[in-house]
Amino acid sequence: ASSSSSLRSARRCEHPGSPLVASSMRTRSRRAAVSLLGLIGGAHATSLSHFRTPVFAAAGARRCMQRSFRAAAPAEAAAPPAAGASKGGVAYDLAIEAKWQAHWEAHRTFATRRREGKQKKYVLDMFPYPSGAGLHVGHPEGYTASDIMARYWRMRDYDVLHPMGWDSFGLPAEQHAMNTGTHPEVTTKENIANFKRQLRSLGFSYDWERELATTDVGYVKWTQWIFLKLFEQGLAFQDEKPVNWCAGLGTVLANEEIIDGLSERGGFPVERKPLRQWVLKITALADRLAAELDGLDWPEGTMTMQRSWIGRSEGAEIAFATEGGGEDVRVFTTRADTLMGATYVVVAPEHPLARRVGESDSAVAKYIAETASKSDLDRTSAKAKSGVPAGESVVHPLTGERLPVWVADYVIGSYGTGAVMAVPAHDERDFDFAAAHGLPVKRVVAEPDGAAEAEALEEAFTEHGVAVNSGPLVDGLATPEAKAKVVELLAEAGRGSAKVSYKLRDWVFSRQRYWGEPIPIYFPVTTDGDPRKGDAYSIDYSQPLPVAEEELPVALPELEDFQPGDDPQGCLARVLDWRFFQRDGKWWARETNTMPQWAGSCWYYLRFADPANTQQAWSAEAEKAWLPVDLYVGGAEHAVLHLLYARFWHKVLHSLGLVSTAEPFQKLVHQGMILGADGEKMSKSRGNVINPDDIVSAYGADAMRLYEMFMGPLEAVKPWQTEQIAGVVRFQNRVHALATRADGSAELGDETERLMHQTIKKVTADVDALSFNTAISQMMIFSNHLAGLKQLPAEPVEKLALLVSPLAPHLGEEAWQMLGHEQSLAYEPWPEYDEAKCVETDVVMAVQVNGKVRAEIKIAKDAAEAEARELAAASENVQKFLDGKEVKKFIYVPGRIINFVAK
């Protein structure tokens, strides 16, 4: 609908005396009003549904919003109203919100209940890390959506679990401790208190009695218990992994903290060196993690990202014998059909062959040392392909040909086998490397027509085709058949076999930090004295022992100096009284690595089901009562790792019989990002952060909730526009005013009754679909209709109060009380609609004279032709155009066409 026609419709709807109020809503005006999202200056919401990707032309979006806002503004007063203004009734006072928040807390309104025979809904937010900055207005978007559903499902008589907690371990608090000396626990508790205050002010219906933090000692105990379950199953093990060690900072750095081989903070050199790490064998469940995505109600993009990260590939593992008789060099390839095109083999600098050669070859040793300062990302993204010859050869498994071995950093030691067979004719990286180092290129795959077989390649041919130059048993086969034949030949020769491989790598789990869960493992120590006093000692890391369950939790020691120091094992290694202990006359050493922040968020959804249990992480009864999570809401930035890690832990627990479901999160929704008014991501550095405290103070929590849901589709990216909150404030005030006017003795007219049932039907369907913007739009249309009635019945206002309450709970509660109800509406039954009463009996039809519209009439949609002709001819404007003419024909199609053909 065009802005102009929408505006005309909006004006008609706003006019209380217009006979077309209801009918205009039922025809194109309804569509126009929905397109504008309801008469009040929030017209941008539908337009923004087009901006569904994180990057878009923000300036264009703002112009679209501003144009729509200006077009719709005349339907409401252009000037923003005072937050408590109300037309035709007692003013809506923002103190109402504090009143109802106190009521809910005092009456434990949202305490979780589980009733026999009732269905359940577990509604969960991805719990936040409590940063020092607190919330900005983008954070509550997802929380509001989940809260709407929790409130709605309570009213649909479901038992609802809707908890909140804190992912409270994390590097920012530790960095703050290093800078200020303030203990991370102190900072974390202060931040939690601020976050909780902000969330409470927005009226979220969390069961705060189930609040937890991953830093709680009682929670740490069970996180450590789950780690021990992984350890018992052989899924938690030690391994030497290359890490980014910065001696200048005394710590291990993430790839993102390194710029051009130097630490981002301080500019110190960073060295790539092997370090003992704890690793979780997530690859053991790779097949299940990929296959069991089927059946989940998740965004398709997230499912694709999960599968891509897992990266299941079917191919072959091939063994190349070394000439010196050492261990075979094994490679994995998805293109076994190109084996005859291999002209050299490349091993990573971390590969055992490279390190062995480096012991006697200074050029290789120098290259390995140079590579140690590069991150994996730097190595794989470099355009220039560097490398050095290893001075050794391997034997081609089918031809017996000698192939030279090179050491090159574009092959990563921790990915696959750390070696590749190089087929430069059919792999882009191999082609670039061969070109740079003068290595041969042999084509073994041609176009299906074979036309380009003899032509020199200017770039790698990576498509499927037909095998050539591969021997009589393979030549002429299409790529899939050639793959199978080569694998068959390798198996016969005992040099290879079919294999499934994964891009997914095992999860490096340990951190050399303080602020994390201690890993509950200890090791035997050999010493002639007391290692706590500085006496010499040796720790046998090959014999890891689990801490007994009755000794959990292993708590962090008190610490005053949080600097990592010069020991890669981390700052806990300096706390000798904590690290070393005696038992049965022997010395032992605790593990000084801690768990990553991911650990606590891998299972918090389970603890919420039974948070007060001191004997178990959760009881079987509680888990069966609430799992799986029915609705999980959070940002798309967690679409891969958090979800993958949590699913991994859950599947391990499922295989042990500790949970009854194979998947933890049945339905997943990602809210779209709310950008700053400048169309950029909100951040302190850009100065575009909006504090929700300011919005709540000026307009109220309900206005903020309504505005965030009204901005556009939940999953869309949307820029914040504070000036447009005025529109939802006007709607809020109108609903409040209706509650002051409702008259229990006024009769319910047919049009009002029909629109009431239509509104209940649409709002119900929209809430079920999480289409909150269009649900609000429909309620605006309904409230405008009710505001135009001279005598206002109580029933439609009661229905409106119930419908609006999940979105604006303080307003709903206050209106419900004003209508004479003593109890909270939190558990009132959701309104039901009668389908028969939703049906339109009248329609507005255009009346044409010789094909041109001359009037509109309201008529029963099944009216007889004679009635339609009489009503149409009675129109003054139609009479004007028929005057002096003879009606040759009258065309009537009920509900569609009325046309006089006259001469």
Side-chain angles (χ1 to χ4, degrees):
S2 68
S3 296
S4 58
S5 64
S6 300
L7 183 55
R8 288 195 298 271
S9 301
R11 284 172 173 157
R12 284 200 300 272
C13 290
E14 281 292 292
H15 195 288
S18 170
L20 300 180
V21 167
S23 60
S24 64
M25 293 180 196
R26 291 194 302 272
T27 55
R28 69 175 184 276
S29 303
R30 179 189 299 276
R31 294 190 295 273
V34 171
S35 179
L36 282 175
L37 294 183
L39 320 180
I40 55 77
H44 57 281
T46 300
S47 302
L48 279 174
S49 66
H50 300 292
F51 301 105
R52 293 181 180 271
T53 56
V55 180
F56 65 92
R62 291 197 300 274
R63 286 194 297 273
C64 173
M65 292 169 62
Q66 290 160 359
R67 285 196 300 270
S68 300
F69 183 78
R70 287 194 296 268
E76 295 274 2
S86 182
K87 183 179 179 181
V90 178
Y92 180 83
D93 188 344
L94 293 186
I96 286 169
E97 297 183 345
K99 162 191 165 182
W100 284 105
Q101 289 167 19
H103 174 92
W104 296 328
E105 182 175 4
H107 291 80
R108 302 179 63 244
T109 303
F110 305 117
T112 305
R113 59 180 184 175
R114 195 72 185 96
R115 299 167 294 169
E116 187 175 352
K118 292 293 183 181
Q119 292 182 295
K120 62 89 181 177
K121 291 290 185 181
Y122 187 172
V123 185
L124 185 63
D125 297 300
M126 293 185 185
F127 67 170
Y129 172 72
S131 67
L135 298 174
H136 65 62
V137 292
H139 292 127
E141 182 187 15
Y143 306 153
T144 302
S146 64
D147 191 62
I148 291 168
M149 297 310 299
R151 289 175 176 275
Y152 168 68
W153 278 325
R154 289 189 193 99
M155 298 172 77
R156 298 302 298 261
D157 203 28
Y158 288 95
D159 286 349
V160 173
L161 173 56
H162 187 40
M164 176 50 75
W166 317 103
D167 191 11
S168 45
F169 277 121
L171 186 56
E174 184 164 353
Q175 289 176 325
H176 183 70
M178 285 187 252
N179 294 333
T180 67
T182 306
H183 197 286
E185 184 176 11
V186 174
T187 304
T188 299
K189 287 183 176 179
E190 290 175 352
N191 294 346
I192 286 174
N194 185 45
F195 264 67
K196 186 173 181 180
R197 175 193 61 79
Q198 290 182 299
L199 293 178
R200 281 184 175 276
S201 75
L202 289 164
F204 296 133
S205 62
Y206 295 126
D207 180 357
W208 287 108
E209 295 175 12
R210 292 179 180 244
E211 178 187 8
L212 59 82
T214 56
T215 49
D216 294 341
V217 173
Y219 189 89
V220 168
K221 171 182 178 177
W222 299 113
T223 303
Q224 292 173 335
W225 175 80
I226 296 173
F227 176 87
L228 293 178
K229 295 298 177 186
L230 294 165
F231 179 74
E232 290 167 7
Q233 298 300 307
L235 297 173
F237 62 97
Q238 296 176 93
D239 195 10
E240 278 208 344
K241 292 287 184 181
V243 298
N244 304 312
W245 170 248
C246 178
L249 293 176
T251 188
V252 172
L253 299 178
N255 289 337
E256 296 77 14
E257 298 173 298
I258 304 167
I259 300 174
D260 297 329
L262 302 176
S263 63
E264 183 178 25
R265 182 163 62 93
F268 296 104
V270 177
E271 178 186 2
R272 192 84 165 155
K273 64 184 298 182
L275 185 67
R276 182 183 64 86
Q277 300 273 47
W278 281 95
V279 181
L280 300 189
K281 197 170 182 58
I282 191 172
T283 53
L285 276 73
D287 267 333
R288 286 186 63 190
L289 288 168
E292 292 175 10
L293 286 167
D294 295 336
L296 297 180
D297 186 3
W298 285 22
E300 189 57 42
T302 300
M303 305 267 268
T304 300
M305 290 171 69
Q306 288 265 307
R307 291 191 175 99
S308 176
W309 193 269
I310 295 165
R312 187 180 192 275
S313 300
E314 295 184 3
E317 185 173 85
I318 304 172
F320 289 80
T322 54
E323 277 205 313
E327 288 189 13
D328 291 343
V329 175
R330 295 183 174 274
V331 305
F332 173 82
T333 178
T334 60
R335 293 296 301 271
D337 60 302
T338 65
L339 175 59
M340 298 303 186
T343 59
Y344 61 99
V345 167
V346 182
V347 297
E350 302 87 357
H351 194 279
L353 185 150
R355 294 197 170 277
R356 175 174 57 78
V357 171
E359 292 175 0
S360 57
D361 188 319
S362 60
V364 173
K366 180 182 177 183
Y367 184 78
I368 292 173
E370 291 172 350
T371 303
S373 65
K374 300 179 183 178
S375 69
D376 290 353
L377 181 62
D378 290 336
R379 288 165 58 176
T380 55
S381 61
K383 292 183 179 180
K385 295 293 185 283
S386 67
V388 292
E392 294 197 5
S393 299
V394 294
V395 179
H396 191 287
L398 295 184
T399 68
E401 181 183 1
R402 294 173 69 251
L403 302 179
V405 177
W406 282 71
V407 180
D409 64 2
Y410 76 88
V411 178
I412 306 299
S414 58
Y415 183 72
T417 64
V420 300
M421 67 175 199
V423 186
H426 305 293
D427 182 274
E428 292 175 355
R429 295 185 308 164
D430 296 343
F431 186 90
D432 292 343
F433 189 88
H437 299 280
L439 295 167
V441 177
K442 179 184 178 182
R443 183 164 193 166
V444 292
V445 182
E447 299 279 4
D449 59 10
E453 179 180 342
E455 295 179 8
L457 287 168
E458 295 183 359
E459 61 182 11
F461 176 70
T462 60
E463 304 299 322
H464 284 198
V466 175
V468 296
N469 303 321
S470 298
L473 297 176
V474 181
D475 281 352
L477 296 177
T479 295
E481 290 75 21
K483 287 182 182 181
K485 187 63 179 178
V486 170
V487 171
E488 179 185 328
L489 295 174
L490 286 166
E492 290 174 359
R495 303 307 298 168
S497 61
K499 184 177 180 180
V500 174
S501 183
Y502 298 91
K503 187 167 65 176
L504 179 69
R505 306 184 198 184
D506 285 331
W507 176 10
V508 178
F509 190 70
S510 49
R511 298 291 184 271
Q512 294 70 43
R513 304 282 190 180
Y514 171 75
W515 195 232
E517 301 93 339
I519 293 175
I521 295 290
Y522 63 100
F523 307 92
V525 175
T526 301
T527 180
D528 291 329
D530 186 342
R532 296 172 301 181
K533 298 178 180 179
D535 294 334
Y537 62 87
S538 174
I539 300 175
D540 185 357
Y541 289 111
S542 68
Q543 297 187 52
L545 298 167
V547 172
E549 183 176 331
E550 59 269 20
E551 295 179 13
L552 298 178
V554 177
L556 286 168
E558 289 297 324
L559 207 60
E560 294 182 0
D561 179 10
F562 302 97
Q563 301 298 329
D566 56 3
D567 188 340
Q569 293 298 327
C571 59
L572 289 178
R574 300 197 306 268
V575 191
L576 301 182
D577 287 342
W578 177 86
R579 185 183 192 187
F580 297 103
F581 64 95
Q582 274 187 306
R583 178 176 294 161
D584 300 328
K586 297 180 180 180
W587 282 100
W588 308 90
R590 299 188 194 279
E591 174 60 77
T592 58
N593 284 311
T594 54
M595 300 186 198
Q597 188 176 0
W598 300 109
S601 62
C602 277
W603 73 282
Y604 71 111
Y605 60 92
L606 284 163
R607 187 61 175 171
F608 276 137
D610 199 8
N613 194 333
T614 59
Q615 303 304 310
Q616 299 170 282
W618 59 86
S619 69
E621 295 76 16
E623 184 272 330
K624 289 177 181 176
W626 290 113
L627 268 291
V629 175
D630 297 285
L631 176 62
Y632 196 32
V633 180
E637 64 271 21
H638 302 297
V640 176
L641 294 182
H642 160 61
L643 293 170
L644 196 63
Y645 294 158
R647 293 179 63 229
F648 166 58
W649 278 36
H650 191 88
K651 290 183 184 305
V652 173
L653 296 170
H654 183 248
S655 67
L656 294 173
L658 296 171
V659 296
S660 60
T661 61
E663 288 285 339
F665 313 119
Q666 184 58 36
K667 181 179 178 65
L668 174 68
V669 172
H670 297 310
Q671 77 276 13
M673 185 179 295
I674 293 182
L675 306 176
D678 57 359
E680 301 290 340
K681 183 177 179 180
M682 289 190 188
S683 71
K684 281 185 176 181
S685 61
R686 294 191 181 98
N688 62 354
V689 173
I690 305 295
N691 190 324
D693 292 348
D694 297 335
I695 302 301
V696 171
S697 177
Y699 299 96
D702 280 350
M704 180 170 163
R705 290 169 61 117
L706 286 166
Y707 174 62
E708 293 209 346
M709 296 300 98
F710 192 57
M711 292 173 74
L714 178 63
E715 70 278 10
V717 176
K718 306 163 282 271
W720 179 270
Q721 299 286 329
T722 299
E723 64 272 16
Q724 297 198 18
I725 299 176
V728 294
V729 170
R730 283 187 284 273
F731 167 64
Q732 175 181 269
N733 291 340
R734 186 185 303 122
V735 174
H736 184 265
L738 291 173
T740 68
R741 289 183 49 218
D743 182 355
S745 63
E747 292 187 5
L748 183 63
D750 291 344
E751 293 296 337
T752 300
E753 183 178 35
R754 182 157 32 277
L755 186 55
M756 178 180 75
H757 284 273
Q758 290 172 342
T759 298
I760 295 171
K761 178 180 180 180
K762 178 160 179 54
V763 171
T764 301
D766 285 346
V767 171
D768 279 330
L770 280 73
S771 298
F772 305 123
N773 57 328
T774 50
I776 295 170
S777 178
Q778 181 64 32
M779 287 188 282
M780 288 174 171
I781 293 171
F782 187 39
S783 69
N784 272 281
H785 170 79
L786 295 179
L789 298 177
K790 293 181 179 179
Q791 297 295 318
L792 180 60
E795 182 183 356
V797 182
E798 288 187 337
K799 302 301 186 191
L800 181 58
L802 293 169
L803 293 175
V804 81
S805 64
L807 296 102
H810 312 89
L811 172 64
E813 291 274 23
E814 187 69 10
W816 188 248
Q817 186 179 76
M818 292 166 66
L819 291 165
H821 301 282
E822 295 182 359
Q823 300 297 320
S824 165
L825 55 59
Y827 294 93
E828 283 294 317
W830 183 256
E832 300 287 344
Y833 64 90
D834 185 336
E835 185 65 50
K837 292 181 179 179
C838 293
V839 177
E840 300 282 1
T841 57
D842 293 341
V843 293
V844 174
M845 293 187 66
V847 180
Q848 300 176 358
V849 177
N850 292 331
K852 293 185 178 180
V853 176
R854 301 304 183 186
E856 285 183 340
I857 62 170
K858 180 180 175 184
I859 187 171
K861 52 194 246 183
D862 58 352
E865 181 174 327
E867 181 184 355
R869 182 165 184 165
E870 181 180 354
L871 281 171
S875 168
E876 183 178 339
N877 204 42
V878 171
Q879 290 175 4
K880 183 172 71 173
F881 283 95
L882 290 179
D883 189 29
K885 297 177 182 178
E886 180 184 355
V887 177
K888 296 292 187 179
K889 188 176 183 181
F890 179 70
I891 303 171
Y892 174 58
V893 178
R896 295 179 61 190
I897 299 174
I898 297 176
N899 186 21
F900 291 92
V901 180
K903 289 186 179 180

